[in-house]
Amino acid sequence: MLEAAWLICAFPLAGFAVLLALGRRLGEPRAGWVATLAMAGSFVSSVAVFFSLMGRDPAERRFVVTLFEWVPAGDFSVDAGLLVDPLSVTMALFVTGVGALIHLYAIGYMHGDGDFSKFFVYLNLFAFSMLVLVLGDSLALTFLGWEGVGVCSYLLISFWFTDEANATAGKKAFITNRVGDWGFMLAMFWAFGALGSVRYLDLFGQAGSLSSTTATAIVILLFLGAAGKSAQLPLYIWLPDAMAGPTPVSALIHAATMVTAGVYLMVRVNPLIAAADAWAPGVIAWVGVATALFAAGAAMAQNDIKKVLAYSTISQLGYMMLAVGTGAYVAAIFHMVTHAFFKALLFLGSGSVIHALDGDQDMRRYGALRAAMPVTAVTFIVGWLAIAGVPPFAGFWSKDEILAYAWDSSPALWLVGIVTAVLTAFYMSRLVFMTFYGEARHGTDAHPHEPSRLMTAPLVVLAGAAVVAGGLNLPFTKDLHFMGAWLEPSLFGNEAHLSLGGGAQWLLALVSMAGAAIGIAGAVAVYLQHRLPASRVELPAAARAFYVDEAWTRFVGGPGRRAFEGVAAFDANVVDGAVDGVGRSVRAGGAWARRVQTGFVRSYALLTAAGAVALLLWFLARTSF
Amino acid sequence: MDLAGLSTGWYLALAVALFAIGGLGLLVRRNPLVMFMCVELMLNAVNVAFVALGAGLNDVGGQVAVFFVLVVAATEVVIGLALVVAINRRRSGATADDVSLLKG
């Protein structure tokens, strides 16, 4: 069955091809069903591969399926191969699983859209690219998927491109990601230069022979790429704007799957991180935790429901990077999975709300929607409790594991993490209270209603997952640490070992429960009981995301632009000048030399005679008499 | 090593004189026919030198070379006179300097 791993990628690719050719003819809703079935087929294949991998001995749970030779170039060759190991299969499972649910939801959400079939063309292409990214057996193939998801992200953010703002948001996402891609490419070239291969297994086998400086450089450059894709400081700026896309896109690409690609990449290259200097993981951890705190702060004051969720996604990605930086790779993947469930749930829930209120995204015009849309409300509340870190919901377990490792690495990291947790509980509670509780603030012409079954069914499934996903990796005993044991073959023993005793872990867990309680209680006081005006907690600076966007604009528009123009001038004058100069001097030389050709036979004769005399003199001079 | 009572040096002096006259004529005259005659003069100056040296050094190769020069000169005249006739048909009385279309 492992050899058939290519089926996981083949289903969405086939769906893409069919929809590309016949999408318009199939029309609504059949095009959506084709895409959803393709995802379901991919999910079933992933499950089959998962079970056959489970059936193997843990030491042999690493399998490369070589499909064909992709880039044969002298002694450099890249095969298109799939690396099937616990890490990639875990990713494939939740990408296809959550992806299938969101495809299903989108059939309802995109109802009546003029470009209904085109939307599913893009969605299937995205799923294919994402699966190439996670299953690729080399940095080059991962990069192919990496760029593929970037293109799909661009296409889907600016899906309603007739609105200038949406098109601009798409461009912003694409260009910001290019900055990160530059780091990824340099890292790939460097790795090839140092080790002569970009295949993961070759890299990992020889990681120990790298000098620590080289390994550090590769890791930091890869992290630059990961920071672009996974929206870390300072490259996060594209993600809040990416909410311009349709809500299923926000749920699938900008919350559950694509943005986790950076975290996946960093977990994937864990042997390189182990070979790097000690400060490299420190940088990753601190950037992660700073992003988490920063984005949580910004989420406190957003009024657009999707912007709150976008900043919350950035914040949770920060947690995952914190986990990577502290060596808690299992916790990073664990949180990625639980986050995929509850954040997809929250986004789809917000989509239902937006749908019910005719596209209004401003929470100030929501309120008291609980009665009108009970299924959405209940599932959304499950998602809220999960992300706020309330036990026994999924988010509590994964976040707690990350915080335990953070404490183990440095209490300062833990402190920032726990403050972020309090803020998270606060802003998510704010969102829920403003949307589902309080008094109705929407206009009288709006008639909020529960969406169709097609849209509520994925909500229910995801809510179920958000409740139980914590069971994937319970901390109580080693036997219950399922995910830790499962991922072991992919981590090559690089997973950090928690030195905390059981008592200390309980204490930390109690502190984070208290943090969640404080955050929720604060939101209750402000948004339900109105003991404090909301303007006291919604700082204008936070609403503008602490002016990072403005800083970028000023930097890129000012010194950045001058620097680019300087480079462009250098290119136009020096580089092009050298090339043009060669051509120009040859032309000038020719123009001068052709004056010798007068067309007068007698002058040719004179020159010939002069030449003959010169030759004669030369021979005479050489001959010694 | 004399030829008809004169030393080789005299023959060579004659060859040089003929060659110089031919070359000078080629450079100063503009009538294509006269220029041809000058070229012939130069070629035959060389022939004289060949024959004189062949006899003087007692080497038959000198006389053999003369035959080659004669053949080349004959073909050259054939082509050259054909060109002269062709040019004169279009532009009668054209000098060599009038035909300078190939100038750079």
Side-chain angles (χ1 to χ4, degrees), chain A residues 66-73 76-80:
Chain A
T66 305
L67 300 177
F68 55 90
E69 194 173 31
W70 179 31
V71 186
F76 172 71
S77 100
V78 180
D79 291 341

Coordinates of all heavy atoms in Angstrom, one line a residue, chain A residues 66-73 76-80:
Chain A
T66 N 9.9 6.6 -5.3 CA 10.5 7.4 -6.4 C 9.5 7.3 -7.6 O 9.3 6.2 -8.1 CB 11.9 7.0 -6.8 OG1 12.7 7.0 -5.6 CG2 12.5 7.9 -7.8
L67 N 9.0 8.4 -8.1 CA 8.1 8.3 -9.2 C 8.8 8.4 -10.6 O 8.6 7.6 -11.4 CB 7.1 9.5 -9.1 CG 6.3 9.4 -7.8 CD1 5.3 10.6 -7.7 CD2 5.4 8.2 -7.7
F68 N 9.6 9.4 -10.7 CA 10.3 9.6 -12.0 C 11.5 10.5 -11.8 O 11.5 11.2 -10.7 CB 9.5 10.1 -13.1 CG 8.7 11.4 -12.8 CD1 9.3 12.6 -13.1 CD2 7.5 11.4 -12.2 CE1 8.7 13.8 -12.8 CE2 6.8 12.6 -11.9 CZ 7.4 13.8 -12.3
E69 N 12.4 10.5 -12.7 CA 13.6 11.5 -12.6 C 13.1 12.8 -13.1 O 12.6 13.0 -14.2 CB 14.7 11.0 -13.4 CG 16.0 11.7 -13.1 CD 17.2 11.0 -13.8 OE1 17.0 10.5 -14.9 OE2 18.3 11.1 -13.3
W70 N 13.2 13.8 -12.2 CA 12.6 15.1 -12.5 C 13.6 16.0 -13.2 O 13.4 16.5 -14.3 CB 12.0 15.7 -11.2 CG 11.4 17.0 -11.4 CD1 10.8 17.5 -12.4 CD2 11.4 18.1 -10.4 NE1 10.3 18.8 -12.2 CE2 10.7 19.2 -10.9 CE3 11.8 18.2 -9.1 CZ2 10.4 20.3 -10.2 CZ3 11.6 19.4 -8.4 CH2 10.9 20.4 -9.0
V71 N 14.7 16.3 -12.5 CA 15.7 17.2 -13.1 C 17.1 16.4 -13.2 O 17.8 16.3 -12.3 CB 16.0 18.4 -12.2 CG1 16.9 19.4 -12.9 CG2 14.7 19.0 -11.8
P72 N 17.3 15.8 -14.4 CA 18.6 15.1 -14.6 C 19.6 16.2 -15.2 O 19.4 16.7 -16.3 CB 18.3 14.0 -15.6 CG 17.1 14.4 -16.3 CD 16.5 15.6 -15.6
A73 N 20.6 16.6 -14.4 CA 21.6 17.6 -14.9 C 23.0 17.2 -14.5 O 23.4 17.5 -13.4 CB 21.2 18.9 -14.4
F76 N 24.1 16.3 -10.9 CA 23.0 16.8 -10.1 C 21.7 16.2 -10.6 O 21.4 16.3 -11.8 CB 22.9 18.3 -10.1 CG 21.7 18.9 -9.4 CD1 21.6 18.8 -8.0 CD2 20.7 19.4 -10.1 CE1 20.5 19.4 -7.4 CE2 19.6 20.0 -9.5 CZ 19.5 19.9 -8.1
S77 N 21.0 15.5 -9.8 CA 19.7 15.0 -10.3 C 18.7 15.0 -9.1 O 19.0 14.8 -8.0 CB 19.8 13.6 -10.8 OG 19.4 12.6 -9.9
V78 N 17.5 15.5 -9.5 CA 16.4 15.5 -8.5 C 15.3 14.5 -9.0 O 14.9 14.7 -10.1 CB 15.8 16.9 -8.3 CG1 14.7 16.9 -7.3 CG2 16.9 17.9 -7.9
D79 N 15.0 13.6 -8.2 CA 13.9 12.7 -8.5 C 12.6 13.2 -7.9 O 12.7 13.9 -6.9 CB 14.2 11.3 -7.9 CG 15.3 10.6 -8.6 OD1 15.7 11.0 -9.7 OD2 15.9 9.6 -8.0
A80 N 11.5 13.0 -8.6 CA 10.3 13.3 -8.0 C 9.9 12.1 -7.2 O 9.5 11.1 -7.7 CB 9.2 13.6 -9.1

